[in-house]
């Protein structure tokens, strides 16, 4: 009985480790897609998951000190705005230069 | 009285197991999906900010794993229960802030718990908070009655 009281928590710990790996693989499908941002007069391709929703998809670049938000477009067309969830998506790296 | 004592031990064990599974799962998921958790904090209307996101992305999952490990061993279980209570208070306060005060709701991405809405998340956190308090109360009662489950010795049979 005493041993069981130590073994059970350990088993629970191991079970949770297995569970987290199992669900990590199952929920890994993030819908990253190639989309575009317009910086100055140039288009730049980015990989972003805009999520679900009908709000404008906006990104910021993590190394951009001014934290300027950029509207995301599905194609290199100013009429073709990408839609998604309300939150601003951070993109790793510096903002593309003009 | 005996009946209550017997059941309080079982309840205490069950709550501990539940908390171990929850904190190990939550901590590991946050570490494995680090970028996702970082993005969530970064976009949070309550915490937001680069420094906070970088700090939280490491401190929160490591705290959760530490609490889970502390709960496994009986000698450190009481500290683990207080740690679990502290974390649950923190998470509940954050969820309350998101549900009632935030101008917008960020995505609660990551793991299976992401399937819950923020309101469901709040109820889930409140239940776990109550369970952690219950476990501490049972442990303290047992301590004062001289039946600390972490120090209980089987009677010697001569």
């Amino acid at each position: 009985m005493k041993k069981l009281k130590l073994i059970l928590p350990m088993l629970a710990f191991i079970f949770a480790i297995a569970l987290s790996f199992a669900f990590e693989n199952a929920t890994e499908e993030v819908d990253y897609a190639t989309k575009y941002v317009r910086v100055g007069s140039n288009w730049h391709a980015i990989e972003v998951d805009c999520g679900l929703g009908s709000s404008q998809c906006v990104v910021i670049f993590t190394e951009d000190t001014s934290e300027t938000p950029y509207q995301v477009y599905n194609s290199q067309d100013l009429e073709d705005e990408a839609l998604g969830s309300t939150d601003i998506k951070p993109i790793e790296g510096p903002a593309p230069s003009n | 009285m005996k009946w209550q004592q017997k059941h309080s031990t079982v309840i205490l064990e069950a709550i501990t197991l539940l908390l171990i599974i929850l904190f190990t799962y939550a901590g590991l998921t946050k570490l494995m999906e680090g970028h996702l958790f970082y993005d969530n904090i970064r976009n949070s209307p309550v915490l937001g900010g680069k420094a906070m996101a970088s700090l939280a992305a490491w401190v929160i999952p490591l705290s959760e794993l530490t609490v889970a490990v502390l709960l496994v061993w009986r000698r450190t279980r009481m500290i683990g229960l207080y740690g679990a209570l502290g974390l649950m208070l923190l998470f509940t306060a954050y969820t309350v802030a998101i549900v009632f005060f935030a101008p917008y709701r960020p995505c609660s991405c990551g793991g299976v718990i992401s399937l819950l809405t923020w309101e469901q998340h709040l109820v889930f956190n409140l239940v776990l908070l109550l369970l952690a308090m219950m476990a501490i109360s049972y442990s303290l009662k047992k301590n004062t009655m001289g039946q600390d489950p972490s120090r209980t010795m089987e009677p010697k049979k001569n």
Side-chain angles (χ1 to χ4, degrees):
Chain A
M1 184 64 186
K2 211 185 165 196
K3 275 187 180 173
L4 191 71
K5 284 186 177 178
L6 177 69
I7 291 169
L8 266 181
M10 281 190 161
L11 281 177
F13 192 69
I14 294 164
F15 170 70
I17 292 172
L19 199 69
S20 54
F21 275 98
F23 280 109
E24 203 266 343
N25 291 333
T27 57
E28 211 171 22
E29 290 169 22
V30 180
D31 294 327
Y32 282 102
T34 303
K35 295 190 186 283
Y36 302 89
V37 287
R38 177 99 168 166
V39 182
S41 55
N42 295 322
W43 289 100
H44 296 274
I46 54 164
E47 292 294 318
V48 63
D49 175 19
C50 285
L52 295 172
S54 55
S55 304
Q56 287 185 324
C57 182
V58 177
V59 295
I60 54 163
F61 292 89
T62 54
E63 290 175 25
D64 177 12
T65 47
S66 65
E67 297 195 343
T68 311
Y70 293 92
Q71 170 64 46
V72 179
Y73 298 88
N74 292 316
S75 59
Q76 294 182 10
D77 178 357
L78 289 172
E79 300 287 308
D80 191 13
E81 289 182 346
L83 300 179
S85 53
T86 49
D87 51 325
I88 297 172
K89 287 91 192 157
I91 303 281
E92 293 294 327
S97 50
N98 285 330
Chain B
M1 191 66 187
K2 262 189 175 180
W3 181 90
Q4 196 190 351
Q5 275 177 20
K6 191 182 170 186
H7 282 265
S8 69
T9 309
V10 174
I11 292 167
L12 181 61
E13 290 293 326
I15 294 173
T16 308
L17 291 179
L18 179 72
L19 290 173
I20 290 171
I21 293 172
L22 179 90
F23 282 116
T24 310
Y25 173 74
L28 275 178
T29 309
K30 286 188 184 89
L31 282 180
M32 288 190 293
E33 297 175 348
H35 62 96
L36 207 62
F37 183 56
Y38 173 86
D39 290 351
N40 288 342
I41 300 289
R42 189 90 168 82
N43 289 319
S44 166
V46 181
L47 294 174
K50 215 172 177 178
M52 177 57 89
S54 306
L55 188 74
W58 284 103
V59 171
I60 291 180
L62 290 178
S63 309
E64 286 177 329
L65 287 174
T66 307
V67 164
V69 171
L70 288 172
L71 286 169
V72 169
W73 280 280
R74 305 179 73 73
R75 281 177 187 277
T76 54
R77 188 163 290 175
M78 201 60 197
I79 307 168
L81 284 174
Y82 279 116
L85 180 71
L87 282 176
M88 286 321 300
L89 276 172
L90 193 77
F91 297 155
T92 309
Y94 177 71
T95 319
V96 166
I98 294 284
V99 172
F100 297 107
F101 306 109
Y104 66 90
R105 290 179 184 191
C107 142
S108 62
C109 320
V112 176
I113 300 169
S114 62
L115 299 172
L116 301 178
T117 64
W118 280 102
E119 282 81 5
Q120 290 166 338
H121 218 119
L122 180 59
V123 175
F124 182 75
N125 282 2
L126 284 170
V127 169
L128 285 165
L129 184 68
L130 283 175
L131 287 178
M133 287 163 89
M134 216 165 118
I136 289 173
S137 151
Y138 280 139
S139 287
L140 288 175
K141 264 186 199 167
K142 283 187 179 293
N143 282 357
T144 52
M145 287 166 71
Q147 287 191 332
D148 177 5
S150 63
R151 293 190 178 88
T152 309
M153 300 283 283
E154 296 287 334
K156 280 182 185 173
K157 287 175 186 168
N158 292 323

